[in-house]
Amino acid sequence: MSDPPRESMDFDVVVVGAGPAGLAAAIRLKQVQPALSVVVLEKGAEVGAHILSGAVIDPSGLDALLPDWRNDDAAPLKTPVSDDRFYWLGPAGAMRIPNFVMPPLMNNHDNYIASLGDVCRWLANKAEALGVEIFPGFAAAETLHNEAGAVTGVATGDMGVARDGTHSPGFQRGMELNAKYTLIAEGARGSLAKQLIGRFDLDAGREPQKYGIGIKELWQIDPARHRRGLVQHTFGWPLDSRTGGGSFLYHLDDNLVSVGFVVHLNYKNPHLSPFEEFQKFKTHPAIAPIFADGKRLAYGARAITEGGFQSVPKLTFPGGALVGCAAGFVNVPRIKGSHNAILSGMLAADQVAAAIAEGRSHDELVAYEAAWRESAIGRDLKQVRNVKPLWSKFGTLGGIALGGLDMWTNTLGFSLFGTLGHGGPDHAATLPAAGTKAVAYRRGDGTLTFDRLSSVFVSNTMHEEDQPVHLRVRDMALQKSSEHDVYGGPSARYCPAAVYEWVKEGGEARYVINAANCVHCKTCDIKDPNQNIDWVPPEGGGGPNYPNM
Ligand SMILES: Cc1cc2nc3c(=O)[nH]c(=O)nc-3n(C[C@H](O)[C@H](O)[C@H](O)COP(=O)(O)OP(=O)(O)OC[C@H]3O[C@@H](n4cnc5c(N)ncnc54)[C@H](O)[C@@H]3O)c2cc1C
Ligand code: SF4
């Protein structure tokens, strides 16, 4: 029996994703042209539920979007950065890097420590007050196209489809949301963005996008150890010098500390576990005392884009555009992308409003693509464009030293390196297991360090169990012959939520996918050595439920 037809709704603009980019775009559209009908779809059960960030926020985006925000008591940016420290960690000691050697752009003064999830909830209220419709709990599952191929909107996924594809009693057909323009604001490795980049060849002539996985915990610590406004970053131990990454540790209000660890996904050793490296980091003698007598409140993980200036794809396609981290506007050495997400949402919104005012629809917003490199976003990313390639090429010590030099010369207006390439995509960096060293990790102690399952528990992750698996393995035979037999099953280690397991049954290895644990970080979609896993949105509302990450 064929599915019943979908109902449809018409809007001027559909925005996919209620992160800072999507919400900024929606707010700006209504500021510029209040009569426009604008809808924002969000796959999380509520706005902010899937937002995970540091976050130290550069307020330049908010200053442009809501110039009066500092006078708004509801604004959740209450903790100005008061102290900014960088450390190099060895196995037993820590060396502070004096602030004066850091390039000025790395300075965090005038920035705020906040929960980006809370910022999004506040922005959503602002958007709704302007008349934007926000639909949380609805994932955009596919783009809609007209006969010429232009994007004409999106369709939300069907609800109530059982794992075997049959319809359960609560079955509900998805909705078609038609629009003159569609803005894709899905964040890093968006599932629709991935399809659109392929379909419209948006990455032709660009460097491959690069990623890291960021794993984060929120702690309430002993008040005696809390230093409100302190921002601390480390690099070095426990990662070896050929593996990029480092930690962040931000002291918010109320004795809260946001601690996280980013591992660059071009790591080579398939035995490495980013989750376990993070747990190990917390045991360092310079770090562990911060958490003594503290309590872990929340956990989560999310991919972060790291390709920067040279990896940003073409932003526009007929009928819409990519905004925010769906395009990859993170300034890697600053670990900041939320300000550029807001600015790109605004830049795209201005072009959409102007096009609609001229009576246009479903065409390409060429002015947006033409504008970003000369905008504040382009200037921010251009001066740090070589940091990631230098780090990948020369390892942590050499790469950071050369990257620092390049950032200094860029502040003076030139680079000794031009614009460096990234080499290949992250999945291609993984080496076969034979010939690489196994890595031994200690079991979590349940106080300072934890295992993955108890961690997923505090991410409040929930999915409808009886639904098709949203982690689609294209070719199961290849997964066995290559991911398992050649690469040693790295998915069992890179996934921060224990979704993937190779289980021995009668001497045979069987791939088990515990899809209900998935925290939507997108790492499997990026790091699978054969690009054999596609992450697609599960039923809307499923996934983590971060209260304030
Ligand atoms: C560990 C970590 C630390 C970071 N630290 C900082 C920091 O300190 N400062 C800083 O400025 N930046 C930081 N960043 C980067 C920052 O979080 C991003 O640049 C920013 O969140 C990008 O905003 P966005 O709106 O483009 O995407 P996101 O914030 O990822 O939001 C995308 C939204 O779209 C939704 N969505 C995705 N797909 C769909 C779909 N198909 N249908 C419906 N909804 C969908 C998601 O659920 C999500 O709510 C960090 C990132 C990470 C991972
Ligand atoms: S299954 Fe993939 S997207 Fe989900 S948590 Fe694991 S690595 Fe992340």
Side-chain angles (χ1 to χ4, degrees):
M1 200 178 76
S2 63
D3 286 336
R6 292 187 282 222
E7 286 183 25
S8 68
M9 293 167 82
D10 293 342
F11 295 90
D12 289 312
V13 186
V14 169
V15 181
V16 179
L23 292 167
I27 290 171
R28 181 67 166 192
L29 282 162
K30 295 295 275 185
Q31 287 172 336
V32 177
Q33 191 46 265
L36 292 177
S37 56
V38 181
V39 66
V40 180
L41 292 181
E42 170 52 51
K43 67 180 164 65
E46 59 162 35
V47 172
H50 290 184
I51 299 290
L52 180 139
S53 191
V56 171
I57 296 179
D58 169 344
S60 58
L62 285 175
D63 288 342
L65 182 69
L66 301 166
D68 201 29
W69 70 267
R70 285 181 178 79
N71 295 323
D72 181 349
D73 288 343
L77 294 96
K78 304 281 186 215
T79 317
V81 175
S82 56
D83 193 1
D84 201 2
R85 299 174 179 209
F86 293 87
Y87 292 91
W88 165 260
L89 295 189
M95 187 179 75
R96 180 156 179 203
I97 300 164
N99 283 19
F100 69 82
V101 299
M102 303 302 288
L105 65 91
M106 294 295 285
N107 193 325
N108 274 311
H109 287 275
D110 300 328
N111 294 333
Y112 292 82
I113 308 175
S115 149
L116 192 62
D118 285 348
V119 171
C120 289
R121 289 180 183 95
W122 167 68
L123 288 176
N125 288 339
K126 297 266 174 218
E128 283 179 328
L130 290 166
V132 173
E133 289 190 61
I134 302 182
F135 295 167
F138 288 92
E142 60 183 286
T143 47
L144 304 171
H145 298 261
N146 63 17
E147 278 167 14
V151 173
T152 57
V154 297
T156 64
D158 295 343
M159 310 279 261
V161 180
R163 181 162 287 220
D164 62 5
T166 58
H167 296 174
S168 43
F171 175 77
Q172 260 187 328
R173 194 82 168 96
M175 290 277 294
E176 291 191 357
L177 305 171
N178 303 313
K180 292 174 180 155
Y181 293 99
T182 303
L183 296 179
I184 305 294
E186 297 174 295
R189 196 67 163 196
S191 45
L192 296 186
K194 179 178 161 184
Q195 288 171 29
L196 291 166
I197 289 168
R199 179 175 179 136
F200 293 105
D201 222 4
L202 302 179
D203 56 356
R206 314 287 160 109
E207 284 294 309
Q209 186 53 276
K210 305 293 281 183
Y211 298 91
I213 174 174
I215 306 177
K216 173 179 166 180
E217 294 174 349
L218 186 70
W219 281 72
Q220 185 125 44
I221 65 164
D222 176 357
R225 300 168 199 274
H226 190 254
R227 305 274 177 274
R228 180 178 185 263
L230 171 62
V231 161
Q232 185 175 307
H233 293 101
T234 71
F235 49 92
W237 192 88
L239 298 178
D240 64 33
S241 65
R242 302 302 312 174
T243 308
S247 78
F248 59 88
L249 207 150
Y250 306 149
H251 292 242
L252 300 111
D253 278 1
D254 303 325
N255 302 316
L256 293 176
V257 163
S258 154
V259 56
F261 203 82
V262 176
V263 175
H264 299 185
L265 285 176
N266 59 357
Y267 70 82
K268 294 186 166 57
N269 187 344
H271 298 290
L272 184 139
S273 161
F275 173 87
E276 299 293 354
E277 296 292 332
F278 174 37
Q279 298 306 316
K280 198 166 162 184
F281 155 76
K282 286 185 289 170
T283 66
H284 191 276
I287 304 298
I290 301 168
F291 301 105
D293 303 320
K295 183 176 183 326
R296 184 175 73 154
L297 304 178
Y299 166 86
R302 181 79 173 95
I304 180 168
T305 59
E306 293 186 340
F309 191 77
Q310 52 274 55
S311 298
V312 173
K314 185 177 170 221
L315 299 177
T316 58
F317 47 83
L322 307 175
V323 296
C325 279
F329 288 130
V330 170
N331 180 318
V332 176
R334 295 177 74 205
I335 336 179
K336 286 185 188 61
S338 59
H339 60 303
N340 286 336
I342 291 173
L343 293 172
S344 68
M346 293 174 67
L347 200 58
D350 284 345
Q351 300 309 328
V352 169
I356 294 176
E358 288 168 16
R360 290 163 41 200
S361 63
H362 304 146
D363 61 353
E364 206 156 328
L365 300 159
V366 285
Y368 171 47
E369 168 67 14
W372 84 264
R373 280 176 207 274
E374 303 308 319
S375 73
I377 308 169
R379 289 194 294 278
D380 186 44
L381 297 190
K382 191 166 183 197
Q383 54 187 344
V384 301
R385 68 195 179 282
N386 291 324
V387 173
K388 168 80 182 180
L390 287 166
W391 197 336
S392 306
K393 207 170 163 68
F394 295 103
T396 302
L397 264 186
I400 286 185
L402 289 170
L405 172 70
D406 195 54
M407 286 192 282
W408 269 110
T409 63
N410 268 292
T411 53
L412 304 172
F414 70 98
S415 168
L416 300 171
F417 301 104
T419 298
L420 298 172
H422 288 300
D426 292 329
H427 68 88
T430 315
L431 294 174
T436 55
K437 257 204 196 151
V439 190
Y441 295 110
R442 286 210 181 141
R443 280 173 81 94
D445 62 15
T447 310
L448 174 65
T449 57
F450 303 91
D451 62 23
R452 272 180 274 199
L453 286 181
S454 60
S455 300
V456 174
F457 185 73
V458 289
S459 70
N460 301 317
T461 297
M462 303 237 265
H463 287 93
E464 166 61 54
E465 292 271 352
D466 189 16
Q467 65 172 307
V469 173
H470 70 281
L471 304 148
R472 297 200 182 145
V473 180
R474 294 182 190 188
D475 178 348
M476 206 42 108
L478 177 66
Q479 205 64 4
K480 167 71 175 62
S481 66
S482 179
E483 207 264 353
H484 177 271
D485 294 356
V486 176
Y487 293 98
S491 54
R493 290 174 288 278
Y494 63 61
C495 172
V499 168
Y500 300 102
E501 290 175 88
W502 283 101
V503 177
K504 276 268 158 60
E505 268 174 13
E508 274 298 302
R510 188 169 68 86
Y511 204 38
V512 176
I513 303 178
N514 305 299
N517 287 356
C518 176
V519 295
H520 297 202
C521 75
K522 312 284 180 76
T523 302
C524 49
D525 195 288
I526 298 162
K527 188 61 176 167
D528 178 74
N530 303 296
Q531 290 291 274
N532 195 26
I533 300 178
D534 283 312
W535 187 100
V536 300
E539 248 184 40
N545 231 313
Y546 301 135
N548 50 0
M549 295 284 265

